Amino acid sequence: GRPLRVRGDRENPAYHGFTCAKGRRLPEQHAHPGRLLQSQKRGADGRVAPIASERAMDEIAERIRAIVDAHGPRAVALYVGTYSGTHPAAIPFSVGFMVALGSRMVFTASTIDQPGKSIANALHGRWLGGSNVLASSDVWLPGGNNPLISMSGGIPAANPGRRLREAKARGTKLVVVDPRRTEVARFADVFLQPRPGEDPTLLAAMLHVVLRDGLVDRDFVRDHVAGFEALARAVEPFTPAYAQARAGVPAADVELAAHTFARGRRGCGVAGTGPNMAPRGNLTEYLLLALNTVCGRWNRAGDRVPNPGALLPPAIAKAQAEPPRRAWGFGEKLRVRGFTNTAAGLPTSALADEILEPGEGQVRALVCVGSNPVAAWPDQLKTVRALERLDLLVTIDPKLSATSKLAHYVVAPKLSLEVPGASVSMEAIEQTYVAMGYSEPYAQTTPAVARPPAGADVIEEWELFYGLAQRLGLELRLFPVRAEAGVLRASRDVVKVDMARKPTTDEVFAQLFAGSRIALDEVRRHPHGALFPASDDEACARVAPADAGAEGRLDVGNEAMLAELAEVRGEPLPAWDAAAQPGAGAAAAKRAQPGDARPFRLVSRRL
């Protein structure tokens, strides 16, 4: 019943024996001496002591009820981190609990990690036929990501090294943009090494070359794109020479990268965490979408859909654009800095202020799922002050992390090998972001393969929210993951939870995956996982023609984004950049060399 070691499953059709570093460390996590095997309660003296999970839920529910009665449901907030992604029921139950409570104060890691993906997607619009994928592409552009190490960024996480080698063997050209010479950069046909934070400059210069040299997909732009003329005017000043002066990339390399990318028949550009955490991450993602769009890097009518889904309900991919939607300025309005909800969610950077700011609507209770705000939120000292101010802080945490040391209650969870699992989270990524997740219809479920240690009192994440809802008399309704890329609007099918009889995790999965393209029982029949390609008689197998009268267009000329690009162009060049411009004297160039005084580059990563 104890995990001893991890080995790759060579019979798995997607991973082919590959395991990632995190997966290989799972036995150490399960056996870690600091693992919590009972929930903890912090007393008035600041010390923590074990508490039975049922008793903890009694007390947490009682304190939430008192806070809501005194201050309203908005006083309760939820923060969901990335560690919850491995547990398919965690987010539906936690968000369902908040909806039932009447609070919309739901915050996630999305607005810290890569908010530009969702923001830019809203401003640009979505192509309902989906993007090109690596397996069928002639050219690929990883921008500020290193999928061989991070398992994300356009090269599927299922054995990325093998997939990259196969792509190179097929002749796929690789254009890599990164301040570091990463593992992926070793495979590059063209490697651009800009100064950190200069991604907008570099992408604008590539767009300049593509438009100047007539390398656009004219038919696609004519039929499906708006704002082309505005984009052309905006990138006109971003010449390769300017990119060289500002970003530090030779002008000839910028020209080569633009031509290599644009002349490929199929391909895609995908940005990673680095440029999203750097300044102007929204603009970087938007310009990358614009580059993909003017080069026509989207699936067309009749193309086979790379991943029609498996554990998600089937969606009909269509060769048409869903027009832009609001990226911010809607939904819950925060009390600080004029923030509202966004396409990436409520801004997590403002949550500490919402806790510290007195007055009506102040956040007084926070529940953290799969997260560690002290280590993750901006402004660590302010974060600590805010968490210490809360009337109630609850964490679900396998150890006493920096945040859990401040919590009133720490709920001890089961770990991933002790609970049933499913691969749906990667399907959701593929449906939400461009060229992310699985690029084939792969699915797998697993039963629990390990037992909690003897005497442990640990529960699953979803069980906490079910238990709290029961005690507060709330009816839970869950919003399962639904496909996005192939439908005009995400389905809002609601799952009603039986609040009289607690379901098992397998029963919860059956509800969450109801209506999936491949029946859950069929997926379970394949213990090694399986590919479930769509047959030609399935409507989801190929991209359908556009609906009659469809008028949606992808927007590459968004006013806010192009104004931000103009701000970039209007910034003065730093001294060493000015010295690098054509015509600068040798003395100026020599003065500008960083030399031994500047031996390092600061690169944004999760450190």
Side-chain angles (χ1 to χ4, degrees), residues 407-470:
H408 300 96
Y409 296 89
V410 184
V411 177
K414 293 182 179 180
L415 298 180
S416 58
L417 298 181
E418 297 165 350
V419 300
S423 58
V424 70
S425 63
M426 292 296 285
E427 280 195 60
I429 292 175
E430 189 274 334
Q431 290 287 348
T432 305
Y433 300 130
V434 172
M436 301 279 278
Y438 295 129
S439 57
E440 66 270 315
Y442 167 76
Q444 184 177 15
T445 63
T446 61
V449 297
R451 293 189 299 270
D457 177 14
V458 289
I459 63 174
E460 295 187 55
E461 282 88 345
W462 72 264
E463 293 182 279
L464 170 65
F465 297 99
Y466 182 90
L468 295 179
Q470 270 192 325

Side-chain angles (χ1 to χ4, degrees), residues 116-136:
K117 289 193 178 297
S118 298
I119 298 290
N121 185 278
L123 297 173
H124 169 267
R126 291 186 303 170
W127 183 252
L128 299 180
S131 62
N132 297 165
V133 297
L134 178 65
S136 59

Side-chain angles (χ1 to χ4, degrees), residues 514-535:
S516 58
R517 179 178 155 260
I518 306 300
L520 183 59
D521 286 343
E522 173 62 19
V523 177
R524 285 174 172 157
R525 287 184 54 248
H526 301 269
H528 301 281
L531 303 181
F532 299 95
S535 61

